Every structure is written in C-alpha cells, then in structure tokens.
Amino acid sequence: MTSAFDTAMSRALALAAEAGESGDVPVGAVVLDASGTMVGEGRNVREVTHDPTGHAEVVALRAAAEVHGGWNLEGHTLVVTLEPCVMCAGAILQSRIGRVVFGAWDDKAGAAGSMYDLLRDRRLPYRAEVIGGIRSAEATALLRDFFESRR
C-alpha cells in the first residue's frame, strides 16, 4: 500500500539503517512542513553522542525548528519509523506538531497508542493526529535484525 507519506518514510527508514550501522537502535525521523517539504531529519544518536535525548524524533524536531526559525511547528508532520516514546511524545507536544505518522508499534515503550496515548490525551492542552503502522513490516524488520545481531 502506498501512502501519502511513502517518500518521507523511505527517508526515515534510510536514516534508521544509518543509525543501526553506527551502533544506535535503528530509528529515523523526518519533519514535513504544511506543503509536504522535508524540513528536518534525524536518526538515533544516543550511542554516538552519549546524549540520552538523542532520539531520532528530538534530532528531527531540532533541525526543523532551526529551518522554521522557531519552536512552534504547528501544521508540520513528523514521520518516524518507530512509535514515539514518552520523552519524544512530550517533545512532539511541546513543538505543537499537528500529525505523527509512524511505522512500527512499540508495545514496551510506545506513547502514541501502545503503552500510553500521550499524543491524543484529552487532559493535555495540545494533541496530535496519529497515524500508525505505515510500512510497519520494514521498520519492524530493521529493529528485529538489529537486536538479533546483538544476542
């Protein structure tokens, strides 16, 4: 199935593969502006930079904010290969991202519908649209292969 986010997810998957090659968990992310143009990208860099906040989503949000010239990314879309964790969901909400599209579900730490649903929590002042499972087989395979190679 081809989605409107296929090109962005292709780039995110390539970034995820780069992360895995450098020893980080293979997760990649891109940010699209309202016109669908990629304005930020990132991959997991925790191992490379020794930064606990070096998740793909945070790296991509920082890059997009730099291009945008401000932290408020309302109207933007984050496309990421793995369901965001609690930390990343918080960063997404703080940046006012309007839509999150992800590949693989994360039953252990996901905060966009699996473990938690922070991105759509009505108790919070801001919420994001969530579209999960886009090219999930590819994203899941990257993660599975990465962890199997380390066992």
Side-chain angles (χ1 to χ4, degrees):
M1 174 183 137
T2 302
S3 81
F5 306 106
D6 195 57
T7 300
M9 186 60 81
S10 289
R11 180 62 185 147
L13 287 163
L15 290 163
E18 289 176 18
E21 290 167 6
S22 71
D24 272 285
V25 175
V27 179
V30 299
V31 177
L32 307 174
D33 68 11
S35 71
T37 301
M38 287 186 219
V39 294
E41 64 179 37
R43 63 182 180 89
N44 274 3
V45 293
R46 285 194 321 171
E47 299 299 328
V48 172
T49 63
H50 311 291
D51 178 359
T53 68
H55 287 204
E57 299 95 325
V58 172
V59 174
L61 290 171
R62 287 177 179 155
E66 183 71 25
V67 168
H68 181 65
W71 62 268
N72 189 330
L73 299 174
E74 192 167 350
H76 288 63
T77 298
L78 176 72
V79 179
V80 60
T81 59
L82 179 65
E83 179 183 1
C85 69
V86 171
M87 177 184 72
C88 292
I92 290 162
L93 293 174
Q94 289 299 316
S95 69
R96 304 296 192 258
I97 286 282
R99 179 185 303 123
V100 175
V101 176
F102 67 86
W105 293 90
D106 186 350
D107 294 335
K108 294 180 182 173
S114 288
M115 241 349 235
Y116 307 100
D117 199 358
L118 291 179
L119 295 178
R120 295 178 287 196
D121 191 324
R122 296 243 173 247
R123 296 169 293 180
L124 298 173
Y126 191 82
R127 286 169 293 288
E129 176 186 1
V130 175
I131 302 169
I134 302 298
R135 295 178 64 177
S136 63
E138 293 168 79
T140 300
L142 274 174
L143 292 160
R144 183 188 59 243
D145 294 349
F146 175 82
F147 287 112
E148 283 180 358
S149 73
R150 277 149 180 76
R151 289 188 182 122

mmCIF file of all heavy atoms in Angstrom, residues 51-88:
data_model
loop_
_atom_site.group_PDB
_atom_site.id
_atom_site.type_symbol
_atom_site.label_atom_id
_atom_site.label_comp_id
_atom_site.label_asym_id
_atom_site.label_seq_id
_atom_site.Cartn_x
_atom_site.Cartn_y
_atom_site.Cartn_z
ATOM 1 N N ASP A 51 24.288 11.110 24.380
ATOM 2 C CA ASP A 51 23.222 12.034 24.764
ATOM 3 C C ASP A 51 21.930 11.248 24.979
ATOM 4 O O ASP A 51 21.398 10.675 24.027
ATOM 5 C CB ASP A 51 23.028 13.067 23.648
ATOM 6 C CG ASP A 51 21.905 14.054 23.918
ATOM 7 O OD1 ASP A 51 21.231 13.969 24.969
ATOM 8 O OD2 ASP A 51 21.694 14.930 23.057
ATOM 9 N N PRO A 52 21.412 11.222 26.206
ATOM 10 C CA PRO A 52 20.187 10.464 26.458
ATOM 11 C C PRO A 52 18.968 10.996 25.713
ATOM 12 O O PRO A 52 17.992 10.277 25.542
ATOM 13 C CB PRO A 52 19.995 10.571 27.974
ATOM 14 C CG PRO A 52 20.795 11.748 28.386
ATOM 15 C CD PRO A 52 21.927 11.883 27.402
ATOM 16 N N THR A 53 19.019 12.231 25.237
ATOM 17 C CA THR A 53 17.907 12.781 24.456
ATOM 18 C C THR A 53 18.129 12.628 22.963
ATOM 19 O O THR A 53 17.362 13.173 22.167
ATOM 20 C CB THR A 53 17.660 14.270 24.783
ATOM 21 O OG1 THR A 53 18.766 15.043 24.309
ATOM 22 C CG2 THR A 53 17.441 14.492 26.269
ATOM 23 N N GLY A 54 19.124 11.872 22.550
ATOM 24 C CA GLY A 54 19.469 11.726 21.145
ATOM 25 C C GLY A 54 18.580 10.767 20.381
ATOM 26 O O GLY A 54 19.067 9.927 19.624
ATOM 27 N N HIS A 55 17.283 10.894 20.573
ATOM 28 C CA HIS A 55 16.331 10.080 19.815
ATOM 29 C C HIS A 55 16.070 10.751 18.466
ATOM 30 O O HIS A 55 16.138 11.975 18.337
ATOM 31 C CB HIS A 55 15.009 9.953 20.572
ATOM 32 C CG HIS A 55 15.080 9.065 21.759
ATOM 33 N ND1 HIS A 55 13.970 8.441 22.271
ATOM 34 C CD2 HIS A 55 16.117 8.675 22.550
ATOM 35 C CE1 HIS A 55 14.312 7.712 23.318
ATOM 36 N NE2 HIS A 55 15.621 7.851 23.512
ATOM 37 N N ALA A 56 15.741 9.950 17.475
ATOM 38 C CA ALA A 56 15.518 10.441 16.111
ATOM 39 C C ALA A 56 14.508 11.585 16.072
ATOM 40 O O ALA A 56 14.717 12.587 15.370
ATOM 41 C CB ALA A 56 15.046 9.294 15.220
ATOM 42 N N GLU A 57 13.422 11.452 16.822
ATOM 43 C CA GLU A 57 12.382 12.476 16.808
ATOM 44 C C GLU A 57 12.908 13.813 17.317
ATOM 45 O O GLU A 57 12.635 14.868 16.729
ATOM 46 C CB GLU A 57 11.185 12.055 17.684
ATOM 47 C CG GLU A 57 10.509 10.788 17.228
ATOM 48 C CD GLU A 57 11.009 9.529 17.931
ATOM 49 O OE1 GLU A 57 12.220 9.451 18.241
ATOM 50 O OE2 GLU A 57 10.196 8.636 18.168
ATOM 51 N N VAL A 58 13.649 13.786 18.417
ATOM 52 C CA VAL A 58 14.177 15.019 19.009
ATOM 53 C C VAL A 58 15.172 15.672 18.052
ATOM 54 O O VAL A 58 15.143 16.890 17.840
ATOM 55 C CB VAL A 58 14.807 14.732 20.384
ATOM 56 C CG1 VAL A 58 15.528 15.962 20.932
ATOM 57 C CG2 VAL A 58 13.741 14.250 21.372
ATOM 58 N N VAL A 59 16.039 14.872 17.453
ATOM 59 C CA VAL A 59 17.011 15.393 16.490
ATOM 60 C C VAL A 59 16.287 16.039 15.304
ATOM 61 O O VAL A 59 16.640 17.145 14.868
ATOM 62 C CB VAL A 59 17.971 14.273 16.025
ATOM 63 C CG1 VAL A 59 18.899 14.766 14.921
ATOM 64 C CG2 VAL A 59 18.778 13.726 17.205
ATOM 65 N N ALA A 60 15.260 15.373 14.796
ATOM 66 C CA ALA A 60 14.497 15.904 13.652
ATOM 67 C C ALA A 60 13.738 17.176 14.027
ATOM 68 O O ALA A 60 13.684 18.125 13.234
ATOM 69 C CB ALA A 60 13.541 14.841 13.122
ATOM 70 N N LEU A 61 13.144 17.208 15.212
ATOM 71 C CA LEU A 61 12.417 18.401 15.659
ATOM 72 C C LEU A 61 13.357 19.591 15.786
ATOM 73 O O LEU A 61 13.012 20.713 15.394
ATOM 74 C CB LEU A 61 11.707 18.142 16.989
ATOM 75 C CG LEU A 61 10.521 17.185 16.943
ATOM 76 C CD1 LEU A 61 10.055 16.859 18.358
ATOM 77 C CD2 LEU A 61 9.390 17.761 16.107
ATOM 78 N N ARG A 62 14.543 19.365 16.338
ATOM 79 C CA ARG A 62 15.520 20.451 16.468
ATOM 80 C C ARG A 62 15.911 20.987 15.095
ATOM 81 O O ARG A 62 16.004 22.204 14.896
ATOM 82 C CB ARG A 62 16.757 19.958 17.211
ATOM 83 C CG ARG A 62 16.528 19.757 18.686
ATOM 84 C CD ARG A 62 17.759 19.189 19.370
ATOM 85 N NE ARG A 62 17.515 19.032 20.797
ATOM 86 C CZ ARG A 62 18.148 18.164 21.561
ATOM 87 N NH1 ARG A 62 19.076 17.356 21.043
ATOM 88 N NH2 ARG A 62 17.875 18.077 22.845
ATOM 89 N N ALA A 63 16.144 20.094 14.147
ATOM 90 C CA ALA A 63 16.519 20.512 12.791
ATOM 91 C C ALA A 63 15.392 21.307 12.132
ATOM 92 O O ALA A 63 15.635 22.344 11.496
ATOM 93 C CB ALA A 63 16.883 19.294 11.946
ATOM 94 N N ALA A 64 14.165 20.840 12.291
ATOM 95 C CA ALA A 64 13.017 21.532 11.688
ATOM 96 C C ALA A 64 12.806 22.904 12.323
ATOM 97 O O ALA A 64 12.500 23.878 11.615
ATOM 98 C CB ALA A 64 11.755 20.682 11.827
ATOM 99 N N ALA A 65 12.963 23.004 13.626
ATOM 100 C CA ALA A 65 12.808 24.292 14.308
ATOM 101 C C ALA A 65 13.854 25.290 13.820
ATOM 102 O O ALA A 65 13.564 26.477 13.649
ATOM 103 C CB ALA A 65 12.895 24.099 15.816
ATOM 104 N N GLU A 66 15.059 24.788 13.572
ATOM 105 C CA GLU A 66 16.133 25.646 13.046
ATOM 106 C C GLU A 66 15.755 26.188 11.670
ATOM 107 O O GLU A 66 15.879 27.383 11.399
ATOM 108 C CB GLU A 66 17.436 24.853 12.981
ATOM 109 C CG GLU A 66 18.617 25.656 12.516
ATOM 110 C CD GLU A 66 19.109 26.683 13.529
ATOM 111 O OE1 GLU A 66 18.889 26.495 14.740
ATOM 112 O OE2 GLU A 66 19.715 27.679 13.091
ATOM 113 N N VAL A 67 15.268 25.319 10.795
ATOM 114 C CA VAL A 67 14.861 25.735 9.447
ATOM 115 C C VAL A 67 13.664 26.675 9.519
ATOM 116 O O VAL A 67 13.609 27.693 8.820
ATOM 117 C CB VAL A 67 14.531 24.501 8.572
ATOM 118 C CG1 VAL A 67 13.823 24.896 7.276
ATOM 119 C CG2 VAL A 67 15.801 23.722 8.262
ATOM 120 N N HIS A 68 12.716 26.337 10.380
ATOM 121 C CA HIS A 68 11.481 27.118 10.520
ATOM 122 C C HIS A 68 11.740 28.475 11.172
ATOM 123 O O HIS A 68 10.995 29.431 10.943
ATOM 124 C CB HIS A 68 10.468 26.304 11.334
ATOM 125 C CG HIS A 68 9.153 26.957 11.542
ATOM 126 N ND1 HIS A 68 8.279 27.230 10.508
ATOM 127 C CD2 HIS A 68 8.556 27.414 12.672
ATOM 128 C CE1 HIS A 68 7.199 27.808 11.003
ATOM 129 N NE2 HIS A 68 7.341 27.934 12.311
ATOM 130 N N GLY A 69 12.768 28.542 11.994
ATOM 131 C CA GLY A 69 13.071 29.790 12.688
ATOM 132 C C GLY A 69 12.283 29.973 13.966
ATOM 133 O O GLY A 69 12.109 31.090 14.451
ATOM 134 N N GLY A 70 11.807 28.872 14.543
ATOM 135 C CA GLY A 70 11.059 28.937 15.799
ATOM 136 C C GLY A 70 10.675 27.545 16.255
ATOM 137 O O GLY A 70 10.694 26.592 15.477
ATOM 138 N N TRP A 71 10.314 27.453 17.507
ATOM 139 C CA TRP A 71 9.986 26.148 18.103
ATOM 140 C C TRP A 71 8.597 25.667 17.744
ATOM 141 O O TRP A 71 8.323 24.471 17.803
ATOM 142 C CB TRP A 71 10.118 26.212 19.632
ATOM 143 C CG TRP A 71 9.162 27.190 20.249
ATOM 144 C CD1 TRP A 71 9.390 28.503 20.530
ATOM 145 C CD2 TRP A 71 7.798 26.946 20.622
ATOM 146 N NE1 TRP A 71 8.268 29.092 21.056
ATOM 147 C CE2 TRP A 71 7.272 28.146 21.128
ATOM 148 C CE3 TRP A 71 6.978 25.814 20.570
ATOM 149 C CZ2 TRP A 71 5.960 28.260 21.590
ATOM 150 C CZ3 TRP A 71 5.667 25.931 21.035
ATOM 151 C CH2 TRP A 71 5.179 27.145 21.532
ATOM 152 N N ASN A 72 7.680 26.556 17.400
ATOM 153 C CA ASN A 72 6.286 26.185 17.154
ATOM 154 C C ASN A 72 6.147 25.612 15.746
ATOM 155 O O ASN A 72 6.185 26.349 14.763
ATOM 156 C CB ASN A 72 5.372 27.398 17.340
ATOM 157 C CG ASN A 72 3.914 27.027 17.301
ATOM 158 O OD1 ASN A 72 3.514 26.078 16.632
ATOM 159 N ND2 ASN A 72 3.098 27.770 18.029
ATOM 160 N N LEU A 73 5.977 24.310 15.672
ATOM 161 C CA LEU A 73 5.891 23.609 14.386
ATOM 162 C C LEU A 73 4.455 23.193 14.059
ATOM 163 O O LEU A 73 4.219 22.177 13.407
ATOM 164 C CB LEU A 73 6.825 22.399 14.397
ATOM 165 C CG LEU A 73 8.304 22.723 14.600
ATOM 166 C CD1 LEU A 73 9.130 21.449 14.745
ATOM 167 C CD2 LEU A 73 8.839 23.602 13.480
ATOM 168 N N GLU A 74 3.510 23.988 14.498
ATOM 169 C CA GLU A 74 2.111 23.707 14.183
ATOM 170 C C GLU A 74 1.951 23.613 12.660
ATOM 171 O O GLU A 74 2.561 24.369 11.913
ATOM 172 C CB GLU A 74 1.214 24.822 14.731
ATOM 173 C CG GLU A 74 -0.248 24.475 14.700
ATOM 174 C CD GLU A 74 -1.082 25.445 15.526
ATOM 175 O OE1 GLU A 74 -0.531 26.255 16.262
ATOM 176 O OE2 GLU A 74 -2.308 25.351 15.408
ATOM 177 N N GLY A 75 1.164 22.637 12.223
ATOM 178 C CA GLY A 75 0.962 22.421 10.800
ATOM 179 C C GLY A 75 1.991 21.493 10.168
ATOM 180 O O GLY A 75 1.882 21.151 9.000
ATOM 181 N N HIS A 76 2.994 21.086 10.943
ATOM 182 C CA HIS A 76 4.021 20.172 10.449
ATOM 183 C C HIS A 76 3.642 18.729 10.792
ATOM 184 O O HIS A 76 2.810 18.483 11.668
ATOM 185 C CB HIS A 76 5.372 20.496 11.080
ATOM 186 C CG HIS A 76 5.994 21.756 10.578
ATOM 187 N ND1 HIS A 76 5.425 22.992 10.754
ATOM 188 C CD2 HIS A 76 7.146 21.972 9.911
ATOM 189 C CE1 HIS A 76 6.199 23.912 10.213
ATOM 190 N NE2 HIS A 76 7.265 23.315 9.693
ATOM 191 N N THR A 77 4.281 17.791 10.103
ATOM 192 C CA THR A 77 4.071 16.362 10.320
ATOM 193 C C THR A 77 5.407 15.711 10.628
ATOM 194 O O THR A 77 6.395 15.972 9.939
ATOM 195 C CB THR A 77 3.459 15.706 9.064
ATOM 196 O OG1 THR A 77 2.173 16.286 8.806
ATOM 197 C CG2 THR A 77 3.310 14.201 9.234
ATOM 198 N N LEU A 78 5.415 14.877 11.652
ATOM 199 C CA LEU A 78 6.598 14.079 11.977
ATOM 200 C C LEU A 78 6.362 12.666 11.471
ATOM 201 O O LEU A 78 5.331 12.050 11.782
ATOM 202 C CB LEU A 78 6.820 14.049 13.488
ATOM 203 C CG LEU A 78 7.970 13.153 13.958
ATOM 204 C CD1 LEU A 78 9.315 13.762 13.603
ATOM 205 C CD2 LEU A 78 7.875 12.920 15.459
ATOM 206 N N VAL A 79 7.284 12.157 10.662
ATOM 207 C CA VAL A 79 7.224 10.785 10.158
ATOM 208 C C VAL A 79 8.403 10.048 10.771
ATOM 209 O O VAL A 79 9.557 10.457 10.606
ATOM 210 C CB VAL A 79 7.303 10.746 8.610
ATOM 211 C CG1 VAL A 79 7.265 9.310 8.106
ATOM 212 C CG2 VAL A 79 6.159 11.563 8.004
ATOM 213 N N VAL A 80 8.126 8.970 11.505
ATOM 214 C CA VAL A 80 9.166 8.258 12.243
ATOM 215 C C VAL A 80 8.955 6.754 12.107
ATOM 216 O O VAL A 80 7.824 6.290 11.975
ATOM 217 C CB VAL A 80 9.185 8.722 13.726
ATOM 218 C CG1 VAL A 80 7.858 8.463 14.416
ATOM 219 C CG2 VAL A 80 10.338 8.129 14.494
ATOM 220 N N THR A 81 10.037 6.007 12.139
ATOM 221 C CA THR A 81 9.953 4.568 11.897
ATOM 222 C C THR A 81 9.410 3.777 13.075
ATOM 223 O O THR A 81 8.927 2.664 12.892
ATOM 224 C CB THR A 81 11.332 4.005 11.501
ATOM 225 O OG1 THR A 81 12.276 4.270 12.544
ATOM 226 C CG2 THR A 81 11.806 4.618 10.197
ATOM 227 N N LEU A 82 9.477 4.324 14.281
ATOM 228 C CA LEU A 82 9.008 3.631 15.486
ATOM 229 C C LEU A 82 8.091 4.539 16.279
ATOM 230 O O LEU A 82 8.348 5.754 16.378
ATOM 231 C CB LEU A 82 10.217 3.224 16.354
ATOM 232 C CG LEU A 82 9.925 2.508 17.675
ATOM 233 C CD1 LEU A 82 9.275 1.147 17.433
ATOM 234 C CD2 LEU A 82 11.219 2.340 18.474
ATOM 235 N N GLU A 83 7.058 3.981 16.841
ATOM 236 C CA GLU A 83 6.143 4.737 17.702
ATOM 237 C C GLU A 83 6.946 5.514 18.745
ATOM 238 O O GLU A 83 7.800 4.948 19.429
ATOM 239 C CB GLU A 83 5.186 3.763 18.386
ATOM 240 C CG GLU A 83 4.205 4.430 19.323
ATOM 241 C CD GLU A 83 3.312 3.428 20.040
ATOM 242 O OE1 GLU A 83 3.460 2.204 19.823
ATOM 243 O OE2 GLU A 83 2.467 3.873 20.837
ATOM 244 N N PRO A 84 6.693 6.816 18.900
ATOM 245 C CA PRO A 84 7.448 7.622 19.857
ATOM 246 C C PRO A 84 7.292 7.151 21.304
ATOM 247 O O PRO A 84 6.239 6.664 21.709
ATOM 248 C CB PRO A 84 6.852 9.021 19.685
ATOM 249 C CG PRO A 84 6.303 9.024 18.299
ATOM 250 C CD PRO A 84 5.784 7.625 18.085
ATOM 251 N N CYS A 85 8.376 7.334 22.062
ATOM 252 C CA CYS A 85 8.377 7.033 23.494
ATOM 253 C C CYS A 85 7.776 8.227 24.258
ATOM 254 O O CYS A 85 7.409 9.242 23.654
ATOM 255 C CB CYS A 85 9.810 6.758 23.977
ATOM 256 S SG CYS A 85 10.867 8.223 23.970
ATOM 257 N N VAL A 86 7.721 8.120 25.568
ATOM 258 C CA VAL A 86 7.161 9.188 26.402
ATOM 259 C C VAL A 86 7.946 10.488 26.229
ATOM 260 O O VAL A 86 7.357 11.567 26.084
ATOM 261 C CB VAL A 86 7.113 8.745 27.879
ATOM 262 C CG1 VAL A 86 6.742 9.896 28.786
ATOM 263 C CG2 VAL A 86 6.126 7.597 28.058
ATOM 264 N N MET A 87 9.277 10.413 26.256
ATOM 265 C CA MET A 87 10.092 11.627 26.103
ATOM 266 C C MET A 87 9.802 12.295 24.761
ATOM 267 O O MET A 87 9.604 13.512 24.696
ATOM 268 C CB MET A 87 11.583 11.296 26.202
ATOM 269 C CG MET A 87 12.480 12.517 25.969
ATOM 270 S SD MET A 87 14.235 12.136 25.954
ATOM 271 C CE MET A 87 14.394 11.262 24.392
ATOM 272 N N CYS A 88 9.794 11.508 23.705
ATOM 273 C CA CYS A 88 9.575 12.067 22.373
ATOM 274 C C CYS A 88 8.152 12.593 22.217
ATOM 275 O O CYS A 88 7.937 13.628 21.578
ATOM 276 C CB CYS A 88 9.912 11.035 21.313
ATOM 277 S SG CYS A 88 11.689 10.668 21.279
#
